[in-house]
């Protein structure tokens, strides 16, 4: 898994964060630590390895990332199990008052997508879970598809998946669950695929429904709305804040937050970029990525 992990837009992201010798980074979605390692390498090349405060809701990812970072840069990382909404507490817990830069790499990680037992993939059999924190007490994707009303499912698929045939997908699920509750990913994917008429171009017909369920299960949009100001509040004046998003709903929130901050004089935009053709060819998961970054001009106004 680690051998195949590719951080998205690593050079562009680190360049946007403007590392300096010994500088600190808050990484609110640590994942397998690809961007954190790139940050530490960049700061070391400039004279002295910096610090990383890494946060993730996934204990397995957090443990793997910490092992990777400690092997390459001993003593340079502190980790916190939780959400990036807890950024101020995580930074203080690492013994820092503020950081020089902050990064959010949104969406599901490679570890989650490529582990069938986590239930994120419609291409491999597994329990219908989708929780980024499998130790948490929140509902699973199975709980949602088996208990929500047809109008509620339709809203979730349309709002969070932007699925134009949301009603058809929700109706098929409601009919099928009356026979037996959904428990595994493949049965749900097959139900949606039949309802929507099979593959549409390169996209699997269940793609948008699975995305919508993942967002609902993990409250990703609500978490992002709460988390953006929390993370910004930890970055020093003159520091950088970068966000990688992977679908329009996320990018809309990030763009709006940064634009509002610019209007208040809190931020100045430094980056709005997409991956190169070469990167998309080498790493297809990067194709929908959007990198936005700002300088925090006035920290107090960023909240």
């Amino acid at each position: 898994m680690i051998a195949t992990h590719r951080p998205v837009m690593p050079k562009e992201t680190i360049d946007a964060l403007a590392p300096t010798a010994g500088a600190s980074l808050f990484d609110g979605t640590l994942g397998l630590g690809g961007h954190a390692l790139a940050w530490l390498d960049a700061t070391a090349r400039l004279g002295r390895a910096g610090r990383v405060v890494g946060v993730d809701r996934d204990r397995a990812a957090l443990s793997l990332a910490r092992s990777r970072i400690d092997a390459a840069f001993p003593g340079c990382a502190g980790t916190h199990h939780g959400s990036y909404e807890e950024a101020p507490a995580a930074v203080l817990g690492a013994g820092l008052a503020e950081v020089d830069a902050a990064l959010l790499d949104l969406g599901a990680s490679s570890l989650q997508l490529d582990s069938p037992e986590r239930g994120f993939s419609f291409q491999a059999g597994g329990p219908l879970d989708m929780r980024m924190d499998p130790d948490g007490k929140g509902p699973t994707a199975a709980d949602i598809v088996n208990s929500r009303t047809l109008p509620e499912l339709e809203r979730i698929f349309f709002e969070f998946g932007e699925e134009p045939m949301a009603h058809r997908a929700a109706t098929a699920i409601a009919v099928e669950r009356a026979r037996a509750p959904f428990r595994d990913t493949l049965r749900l994917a097959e139900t949606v695929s039949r309802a929507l008429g099979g593959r549409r171009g390169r996209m699997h017909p269940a793609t948008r429904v699975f995305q919508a369920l993942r967002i609902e299960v993990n409250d990703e949009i609500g978490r992002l709305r709460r988390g953006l100001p929390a993370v910004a509040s930890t970055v020093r004046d003159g520091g950088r804040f970068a966000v990688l998003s992977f679908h329009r709903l996320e990018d809309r929130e990030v763009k709006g937050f940064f634009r509002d901050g610019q209007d208040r004089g809190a931020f100045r935009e430094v980056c709005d970029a997409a991956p190169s053709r070469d990167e998309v060819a080498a790493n297809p998961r990067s194709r929908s990525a959007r990198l936005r970054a700002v300088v925090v001009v006035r920290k107090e106004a960023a909240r």
Side-chain angles (χ1 to χ4, degrees), residues 104 106 221 224-225 228-229 241-264 266-273 290-294 302:
L104 296 178
L106 303 174
I221 301 304
L224 184 58
R225 288 171 179 164
L228 287 169
F241 183 11
V243 183
L244 277 161
S245 58
F246 291 85
H247 56 75
R248 289 189 299 178
L249 297 178
E250 292 174 338
D251 186 55
R252 188 181 303 149
E253 295 293 331
V254 175
K255 181 179 179 180
F257 177 72
F258 282 167
R259 180 172 290 172
D260 288 347
Q262 290 175 66
D263 291 343
R264 296 195 307 273
F267 303 139
R268 184 177 72 252
E269 182 181 87
V270 295
C271 179
D272 176 1
R290 188 66 173 248
L291 172 65
R292 296 185 185 274
V294 293

Side-chain angles (χ1 to χ4, degrees), residues 188-220:
L188 178 63
E190 290 165 1
T191 298
V192 173
S193 182
R194 286 196 305 270
L196 302 189
R199 185 173 289 274
R200 293 170 282 181
R202 293 186 303 172
M203 181 183 290
H204 189 285
T207 299
R208 294 190 178 104
V209 166
F210 270 63
Q211 172 186 296
L213 286 170
R214 192 200 79 212
I215 291 172
E216 175 73 10
V217 166
N218 296 287
D219 187 25
E220 292 180 38

Side-chain angles (χ1 to χ4, degrees), residues 15-34:
D15 286 349
L17 291 170
T20 57
S24 56
L25 171 72
F26 173 82
D27 187 337
T29 46
L30 187 61
L32 291 175

Side-chain angles (χ1 to χ4, degrees), residues 153-199:
L153 289 176
E154 182 178 355
R155 178 194 62 79
I156 290 168
F157 300 157
F158 184 78
E159 183 178 344
F160 294 148
E162 298 184 302
E163 173 53 68
M165 292 189 280
H167 179 74
R168 188 179 296 180
T171 300
I173 289 170
V175 169
E176 186 66 20
R177 74 187 182 188
R179 299 190 181 100
F182 284 93
R183 293 285 180 258
D184 65 89
T185 53
L186 288 182
R187 181 174 170 232
L188 178 63
E190 290 165 1
T191 298
V192 173
S193 182
R194 286 196 305 270
L196 302 189
R199 185 173 289 274

Side-chain angles (χ1 to χ4, degrees), residues 6 9 12 274-284 286-287:
R6 289 175 177 265
M9 300 178 70
E12 296 89 340
S276 67
R277 290 183 179 179
D278 287 345
E279 177 166 3
V280 172
N283 183 11
S286 71
R287 64 182 177 272

